[in-house]
C-alpha cells in the first residue's frame, strides 16, 4: 500500500502533460502511486501516459474510449486508489518538487485528517501571484466550520473568496470511503467535494507554502463557453442544498442561497460573453436577461446587495441589479473584443 495516491484526469493535455509528469518524477517523497485517467483524449496524451508508466512501476494508466468529464475521471481514480491518502493533480498544472513530502510530514506530525498548502497562480503574461488557503496552523472541528465550511457554504462574493480547490489538499482515503464522497458535474465539482469532506473531518494541518503551481491559459475550461451552464448550475445548487440540510449549515449562513446564486449569476454572465460562444450579441443579451429572471436569481437580486466584490464584478452586479442589460452587453463587447 503506497502512502499517497495521486489522481490525474487527463484530457487533451499533450501540450502540458510533460510538465505535470516531470513534477511527479522529481518528488522528494517517493512512496506514492500515480493514477493517470486518460478520459478519451484524441491527441498524444494517451501515448505520453503509457510511456511514463512504462518507466515507473508506481504509475498506472486507465484509458477511456469516450470523454466522460473530470468528475467521472476522479471518481474512477478514487475507486482504484490503493494509497492511505489521496491527492489530486490537474494535467495542465504541476507540484513543487517537495510538495508531497511537505504535506505528508505536516499531516504525520499533526495527526490531522488532512493537510493543505498554498498555490501559485501563473499567468500567460508571466505574472505570478500566491494564494494561501488558510493561515498556517492546525484547525480543529469548530475552527474548520468557521474558517472553511461556512465560507464555502455561504460566503461566495466578498473578496477574497475561499476557493474550494481539491488540488491543494492531502485527503484521508478512509474518510472519503466512510463518507461515500464522490465528485459530480463538470464545473464547481471541487467546491462541494471539499465542503463535504470537511463537514466530516476532525482536523486540518495547513502550511502557507505555495506547493501547487496553477497555470492559467486559454485552453482552460474556465476560458471556454459552456452551453449548458444553467443546467450545470441548477444541479450544483441541488447538491449544495442537500449538503447544507444534511450538515445543518444554514443557521451560520442564512443567506447562503442568495450568495451562491449571485456567484452563479456572475459566472453565467461571463460565460455568455465568452469569445467562443457562437450566439449573436442579441442572443447573448437575451440569455443573460432570462437567467436573471429565474425565480431563484430574482430573489437573490432582490434580497442581497453584493458587496466586497472586485471592481469589475461590482460593476456587473450593479448593472444586473439596475437591469441595464444593453449597457452590460456593450461593456463585455469591448472587454472581450466580440
Amino acid at each position: 500500500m503506497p502512502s499517497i495516491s495521486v489522481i490525474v484526469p487527463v484530457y487533451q493535455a499533450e501540450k502540458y502533460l510533460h510538465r505535470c509528469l516531470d513534477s511527479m518524477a522529481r518528488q522528494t517523497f517517493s512512496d506514492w502511486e500515480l493514477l493517470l485517467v486518460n478520459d478519451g483524449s484524441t491527441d498524444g496524451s494517451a501515448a505520453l501516459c503509457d510511456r511514463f508508466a512504462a518507466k515507473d512501476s508506481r504509475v498506472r494508466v486507465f484509458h477511456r474510449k469516450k470523454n466522460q468529464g473530470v468528475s467521472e475521471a476522479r471518481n474512477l481514480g478514487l475507486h482504484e486508489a490503493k494509497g492511505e491518502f489521496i491527492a489530486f493533480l490537474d494535467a495542465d498544472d504541476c507540484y513543487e518538487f517537495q510538495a508531497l513530502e511537505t504535506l505528508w510530514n505536516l499531516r504525520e506530525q499533526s495527526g490531522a485528517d488532512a493537510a493543505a498548502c498554498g498555490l501559485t497562480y501563473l499567468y500567460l503574461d508571466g505574472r505570478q501571484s500566491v494564494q494561501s488557503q488558510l493561515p498556517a496552523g492546525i484547525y480543529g472541528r469548530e475552527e474548520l466550520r468557521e474558517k472553511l465550511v461556512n465560507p464555502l457554504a455561504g460566503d461566495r462574493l466578498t473578496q477574497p473568496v475561499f476557493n474550494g480547490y481539491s488540488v491543494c489538499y492531502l485527503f484521508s482515503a478512509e474518510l472519503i470511503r466512510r463518507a461515500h464522497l464522490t465528485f459530480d458535474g463538470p464545473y464547481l465539482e471541487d467546491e462541494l467535494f471539499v465542503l463535504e469532506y470537511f463537514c466530516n473531518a476532525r482536523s486540518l494541518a495547513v502550511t502557507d507554502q505555495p506547493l501547487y503551481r496553477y497555470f492559467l491559459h486559454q485552453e482552460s475550461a474556465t476560458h471556454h463557453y459552456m452551453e449548458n451552464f444553467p443546467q450545470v448550475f441548477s444541479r450544483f445548487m441541488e447538491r449544495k442544498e442537500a449538503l447544507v440540510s444534511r450538515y445543518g449549515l444554514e443557521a451560520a449562513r442564512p443567506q447562503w442561497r442568495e450568495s451562491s446564486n449571485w456567484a452563479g449569476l456572475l459566472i453565467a454572465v461571463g460565460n455568455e460573453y465568452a469569445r467562443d460562444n457562437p450566439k449573436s450579441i442579441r442572443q447573448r443579451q437575451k440569455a443573460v436577461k432570462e437567467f436573471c429572471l429565474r425565480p431563484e436569481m430574482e430573489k437573490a437580486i432582490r434580497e442581497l446587495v453584493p458587496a466586497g466584490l472586485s471592481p469589475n464584478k461590482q460593476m456587473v452586479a450593479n448593472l444586473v441589479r439596475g437591469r441595464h442589460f444593453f449597457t452590460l452587453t456593450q461593456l463585455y463587447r469591448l472587454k472581450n473584443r466580440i
Side-chain angles (χ1 to χ4, degrees), residues 34-38 45-46 48-54 59-63 76:
L34 177 64
L35 286 74
L36 299 171
V37 183
N38 172 38
S45 297
L48 277 174
C49 291
D50 287 338
R51 285 200 297 271
F52 192 68
V59 182
R60 290 189 282 154
V61 183
F62 303 87
H63 293 291
L76 174 60

Side-chain angles (χ1 to χ4, degrees), residues 2 4-10 33-39 60-64 69-89 173 176-177 181-183 193:
I4 300 175
S5 295
V6 180
I7 298 169
V8 181
V10 179
E33 68 165 355
L34 177 64
L35 286 74
L36 299 171
V37 183
N38 172 38
D39 194 27
R60 290 189 282 154
V61 183
F62 303 87
H63 293 291
R64 285 178 152 168
V70 63
S71 287
E72 289 306 311
R74 285 177 176 157
N75 289 339
L76 174 60
L78 286 174
H79 178 75
E80 297 289 343
K82 298 177 181 178
E84 184 182 356
F85 282 79
I86 305 288
F88 298 100
L89 172 62
I176 288 172
R177 294 182 182 118
L181 304 184
T182 59
F183 289 88
F193 184 91

Side-chain angles (χ1 to χ4, degrees), residues 201-229:
R202 295 168 301 173
S203 55
L204 168 68
V206 178
T207 175
D208 51 14
Q209 293 181 60
L211 302 174
Y212 190 93
R213 295 173 68 80
Y214 189 112
F215 291 84
L216 296 151
H217 53 79
Q218 294 303 318
E219 287 84 359
S220 172
T222 55
H223 285 87
H224 292 286
Y225 174 62
M226 185 183 294
E227 183 178 2
N228 63 338
F229 179 78

Side-chain angles (χ1 to χ4, degrees), residues 15-16 19 92 120-129 214-220 222-224 275:
K15 186 175 178 181
Y16 309 102
R19 180 176 62 203
D92 52 353
T120 302
Y121 288 110
L122 296 107
Y123 299 87
L124 283 170
D125 60 8
R127 289 183 298 119
Q128 297 185 13
S129 65
Y214 189 112
F215 291 84
L216 296 151
H217 53 79
Q218 294 303 318
E219 287 84 359
S220 172
T222 55
H223 285 87
H224 292 286
R275 286 187 186 181

Side-chain angles (χ1 to χ4, degrees), residues 89-100:
L89 172 62
D90 288 343
D92 52 353
D93 296 331
C94 66
Y95 286 134
E96 300 291 357
F97 301 149
Q98 76 279 19
L100 295 183

Side-chain angles (χ1 to χ4, degrees), residues 11-64:
Y11 180 65
Q12 306 297 79
E14 180 181 12
K15 186 175 178 181
Y16 309 102
L17 192 54
H18 290 284
R19 180 176 62 203
C20 173
L21 298 179
D22 182 63
S23 78
M24 282 301 305
R26 299 175 68 179
Q27 285 298 304
T28 56
F29 182 88
S30 61
D31 189 15
W32 51 259
E33 68 165 355
L34 177 64
L35 286 74
L36 299 171
V37 183
N38 172 38
D39 194 27
S41 299
T42 57
D43 61 0
S45 297
L48 277 174
C49 291
D50 287 338
R51 285 200 297 271
F52 192 68
K55 295 186 294 184
D56 195 324
S57 61
R58 297 173 295 178
V59 182
R60 290 189 282 154
V61 183
F62 303 87
H63 293 291
R64 285 178 152 168

Side-chain angles (χ1 to χ4, degrees), residues 156-157 187-188 229 233 236-237 257-271 291 297:
R156 309 317 298 148
L157 296 172
Y187 202 54
L188 299 170
F229 179 78
F233 187 72
F236 165 79
M237 286 300 291
R257 290 180 193 84
E258 289 71 32
S259 179
S260 299
N261 279 323
W262 254 115
L265 193 158
L266 294 172
I267 295 171
V269 171
N271 181 58
F291 195 83
M297 296 302 166

